[in-house]
Amino acid sequence: MRRFNPNWFKHVHNKALKMCEDLMVQNQHVDVAFTRHLDEKRLQYRIHLNASIDCVHFLLRQGLAFRGHDESEESKNQENFLELLRFLGDHNGTIHDVLQSAPKNLKLIHSDIQKDIVKVVAKETINAIISDLGDKLFAILLDESRDISMKEQMAIAFRYVNKKGSVVERFIVVESLFSKYGLSLQKIREQGYDGTSNMQGQYFGIYIRCFAHQLQLALVTVAKNHVEICLFFNLVNSLLNVVRASCKHRDILQQKQLDKTTLKRPSDTRCGSHYGMLSSLLDMFSPMIDLLEFIMEDGVNAGHRAEASSLLDAILSFDFVFKLHLMWKVLGITNELSQALQRKDQDIVNATKLVKVDIPDINDFNSFIAFDKQKLIRMVEFYPLEFSSVDRLVLDSQLDTYIIDMRSSDEFLKVTRIVSLADKLVEKNKDVVYPLVYLLIKVALILPVATATVEKRAFSVMKIVTNRLRNRMGDQFMNDCLVTYIEKNVFNSISNESIMIRFQNIKNRRGQL
């Protein structure tokens, strides 16, 4: 018979008590341990995703390629995205540990992941632009150009007056634009196009062809209607044909001209192209004579030699040289006007002064020298949706009070431009005091002067983003890259947190925030 051992009962009791105490400690529960593990995984995923977004942000802002031809682990250069992500890890221990411990199916480096992040960033950028536009009146400016793969691309700019009274132009690549972003055709008041002469201003406003292109077309039309000048430009075109006929001709011309200036064919709608061509021709006149003499002696056939001889006689004549200098002087004067019309900060009032168009001068709000209220009242008749018949009566009275108020203010008397006037009205809360006057000023401000800003900003960027090494980009990816690069200021204001949230919501993800 086993003897009773009181110590055994005490041992069992103490063990049970310890287990009970452990059970009462909540942070030792299995579910707590599981939750802690899950929270750690979420934190790692968030750090990893944030690092990938930082890489995308840098590459988009600089207009750089994401991928290369060899991204294998054995590659000495895995190209921009992967190399930049590795660089971040090498200089941040936390990111390095997360990258090293990430499972193979959750690396966040696949090309689809990169494109998803870019798409989200572009979407957030566009939403910020649309949000700022709100329900304001706006003008649209469109232009088109071919990319490196010779595909036609179109860009659209919104021109509107923001809450501070400043004129803003924002760019979006056309992609079911109005229906996708809930924009209303009812809010369009002006339309500006570049070379698309077949477009009509049929939606709620005025169709305005680019002022700079109007000038260029007017000059070309006048020139072609004058027989002597038309013959002069035909002769210039023949010279260009000779230069461009072969690479050998171009090489000879460049050897004669150390700065390697090139002759480009002029375009009837390309601003300043005729002036630039004549400037180059004057600069290369002597090498051009040498080239024609070379062709006369060593031309491939009698026809080429005869053509060179005829052209040489023509360009050495007093008649040709006189017309060359005359047209260069004339086009030089209008070229300055063309450049002024293409300024980013140009407004309709200054543009009409430059081209001597007789329309109501909004700047007379400031000078008060030739203020014509009746012209302004007639101007609002073009905008019946904004100014009803009652509004016109009220505006008539409001203008009287407004002009007296402005004359008594030293601050407003110093304002010289309509853009500055709008800013000052908002700053002094006068836009609330004179709402119809301010509305009239906003309508004048959104009138587009030139589509040159679309061309200079959008299509100069397209040459950077879609270069020779990236000529096979998909349309969606290219559009997203263009939007973020062009609108860097808006893009830079988008937080990584909002990007991560939208990234998670566009599809089911393995990782969770």
Side-chain angles (χ1 to χ4, degrees):
M1 183 176 179
R2 182 179 297 177
R3 181 185 297 179
F4 173 73
N5 187 352
N7 291 331
W8 180 82
F9 281 102
K10 186 177 180 180
H11 171 73
V12 172
H13 173 75
N14 290 338
K15 186 176 180 181
L17 181 62
K18 181 67 171 60
M19 294 175 63
C20 179
E21 290 174 347
D22 291 342
L23 186 62
M24 297 297 290
V25 180
Q26 190 170 356
N27 61 8
Q28 293 185 11
H29 288 189
V30 174
D31 58 339
V32 173
F34 177 78
T35 302
R36 185 184 297 115
H37 177 73
L38 185 60
D39 288 342
E40 184 179 346
K41 288 295 183 183
R42 285 178 172 173
L43 178 60
Q44 291 177 347
Y45 177 73
R46 176 178 286 272
I47 293 171
H48 195 169
L49 179 56
N50 192 72
S52 294
I53 291 174
D54 283 340
C55 294
V56 169
H57 192 285
F58 178 84
L59 295 175
L60 287 176
R61 190 173 55 194
Q62 302 303 120
L64 299 174
F66 281 63
R67 305 178 63 206
H69 67 283
D70 185 4
E71 294 184 333
S72 65
E73 294 183 2
E74 296 78 21
S75 175
K76 298 295 184 181
N77 184 355
Q78 292 183 300
E79 299 303 331
N80 293 335
F81 181 84
L82 294 180
E83 291 293 338
L84 184 57
L85 189 60
R86 179 184 298 167
F87 177 85
L88 287 179
D90 290 343
H91 291 77
N92 186 303
T94 302
I95 295 177
H96 178 270
D97 293 342
V98 169
L99 294 177
Q100 293 299 316
S101 62
K104 291 186 177 180
N105 61 353
L106 197 58
K107 291 288 187 181
L108 293 176
I109 59 175
H110 193 273
S111 61
D112 289 344
I113 295 294
Q114 297 174 29
K115 289 179 179 179
D116 280 349
I117 296 176
V118 172
K119 185 176 182 179
V120 164
V121 170
K123 180 72 174 178
E124 288 291 314
T125 302
I126 294 174
N127 283 346
I129 293 173
I130 299 301
S131 177
D132 187 52
L133 174 61
D135 62 349
K136 301 177 184 69
L137 302 178
F138 62 93
I140 57 173
L141 301 93
L142 286 94
D143 199 357
E144 49 79 27
S145 180
R146 294 183 184 273
D147 60 22
I148 190 68
S149 62
M150 301 308 292
K151 182 181 292 186
E152 206 71 42
Q153 301 291 343
M154 180 175 285
I156 180 171
F158 294 119
R159 182 181 174 94
Y160 61 96
V161 179
N162 65 14
K163 296 176 181 178
K164 296 180 180 179
S166 302
V167 178
V168 178
E169 287 185 357
R170 296 298 185 196
F171 288 80
I172 296 179
V173 180
V174 177
E175 181 199 352
S176 304
L177 185 66
F178 287 89
S179 60
K180 184 172 183 178
Y181 296 106
L183 297 172
S184 172
L185 291 174
Q186 300 285 343
K187 294 296 181 180
I188 298 179
R189 288 300 172 270
E190 332 296 342
Q191 302 171 62
Y193 303 100
D194 188 356
T196 49
S197 57
N198 60 323
M199 291 187 175
Q200 299 291 327
Q202 52 187 307
Y203 296 111
F204 313 103
I206 301 173
Y207 157 68
I208 297 180
R209 193 183 181 90
C210 173
F211 271 58
H213 287 88
Q214 289 184 56
L215 173 65
Q216 178 74 7
L217 288 170
L219 291 172
V220 171
T221 301
V222 170
K224 287 183 176 179
N225 284 335
H226 194 284
V227 175
E228 292 296 322
I229 300 301
C230 185
L231 290 173
F232 165 76
F233 277 109
N234 286 342
L235 184 57
V236 171
N237 281 328
S238 297
L239 280 171
L240 295 180
N241 289 335
V242 169
V243 174
R244 298 163 65 91
S246 71
C247 294
K248 184 177 182 179
H249 290 175
R250 289 194 290 268
D251 291 341
I252 293 172
L253 197 62
Q254 289 179 354
Q255 288 172 7
K256 300 291 184 180
Q257 187 75 3
L258 295 180
D259 63 0
K260 300 189 182 299
T261 306
T262 58
L263 286 168
K264 295 183 179 179
R265 189 174 300 279
S267 166
D268 286 354
T269 59
R270 187 63 61 194
C271 304
S273 61
H274 285 74
Y275 175 72
M277 180 268 297
L278 293 183
S279 296
S280 297
L281 184 55
L282 278 170
D283 186 48
M284 303 183 70
F285 193 78
S286 179
M288 182 70 72
I289 292 174
D290 293 341
L291 174 62
L292 291 175
E293 290 176 343
F294 171 82
I295 297 174
M296 285 173 57
E297 297 177 2
D298 298 322
V300 294
N301 56 52
H304 286 177
R305 292 192 293 271
E307 181 184 24
S309 177
S310 176
L311 286 173
L312 183 60
D313 289 339
I315 69 173
L316 288 176
S317 68
F318 172 82
D319 185 65
F320 178 85
V321 175
F322 175 78
K323 290 173 183 175
L324 174 59
H325 282 271
L326 174 65
M327 292 309 300
W328 179 72
K329 286 285 187 182
V330 172
L331 293 177
I333 296 171
T334 55
N335 183 64
E336 296 299 321
L337 173 58
S338 176
Q339 296 302 315
L341 290 172
Q342 296 179 67
R343 277 172 40 205
K344 183 180 177 181
D345 61 345
Q346 190 60 268
D347 59 64
I348 193 70
V349 175
N350 287 333
T352 52
K353 280 186 173 181
L354 288 170
V355 296
K356 304 299 182 184
V357 177
D358 184 22
I359 70 163
D361 190 348
I362 307 297
N363 271 341
D364 288 338
F365 283 172
N366 310 316
S367 63
F368 311 114
I369 296 173
F371 180 74
D372 190 336
K373 187 173 70 174
Q374 294 308 313
K375 285 186 177 181
L376 295 171
I377 296 297
R378 284 202 302 273
M379 180 179 175
V380 303
E381 294 176 0
F382 290 104
Y383 302 93
L385 294 180
E386 277 64 58
F387 300 93
S388 66
S389 56
V390 175
D391 289 334
R392 277 174 249 164
L393 292 173
V394 175
L395 179 61
D396 188 297
S397 174
Q398 195 174 106
L399 281 169
D400 291 332
T401 308
Y402 166 83
I403 205 68
I404 294 172
D405 188 5
M406 296 299 102
R407 279 176 173 169
S408 63
S409 172
D410 292 338
E411 288 186 284
F412 280 94
L413 285 174
K414 295 177 182 177
V415 175
T416 59
R417 297 191 59 206
I418 184 174
V419 176
S420 303
L421 174 61
D423 291 337
K424 183 65 69 174
L425 286 172
V426 173
E427 178 187 338
K428 299 300 180 181
N429 291 324
K430 297 291 185 179
D431 58 318
V432 179
V433 179
Y434 307 107
L436 292 176
V437 175
Y438 183 65
L439 177 58
L440 180 59
I441 293 173
K442 287 199 298 183
V443 168
L445 281 173
I446 66 174
L447 280 165
V449 172
T451 60
T453 51
V454 183
E455 179 179 336
K456 289 179 179 178
R457 289 184 65 190
F459 298 128
S460 61
V461 165
M462 189 167 65
K463 295 177 182 179
I464 297 173
V465 174
T466 58
N467 52 42
R468 183 176 59 84
L469 297 177
R470 303 179 74 187
N471 62 356
R472 302 172 80 177
M473 296 174 68
D475 287 342
Q476 179 66 57
F477 186 56
M478 183 189 70
N479 292 346
D480 294 339
C481 291
L482 286 174
V483 167
T484 51
Y485 189 90
I486 294 171
E487 294 298 344
K488 289 182 182 178
N489 291 338
V490 180
F491 169 39
N492 289 335
S493 69
I494 308 299
S495 68
N496 279 18
E497 184 66 26
S498 61
I499 295 172
M500 285 192 284
I501 292 173
R502 183 178 289 273
F503 175 80
Q504 286 298 114
N505 292 336
I506 60 174
K507 62 177 68 172
N508 291 328
R509 305 287 181 186
R510 292 181 181 273
Q512 297 297 319
L513 292 175

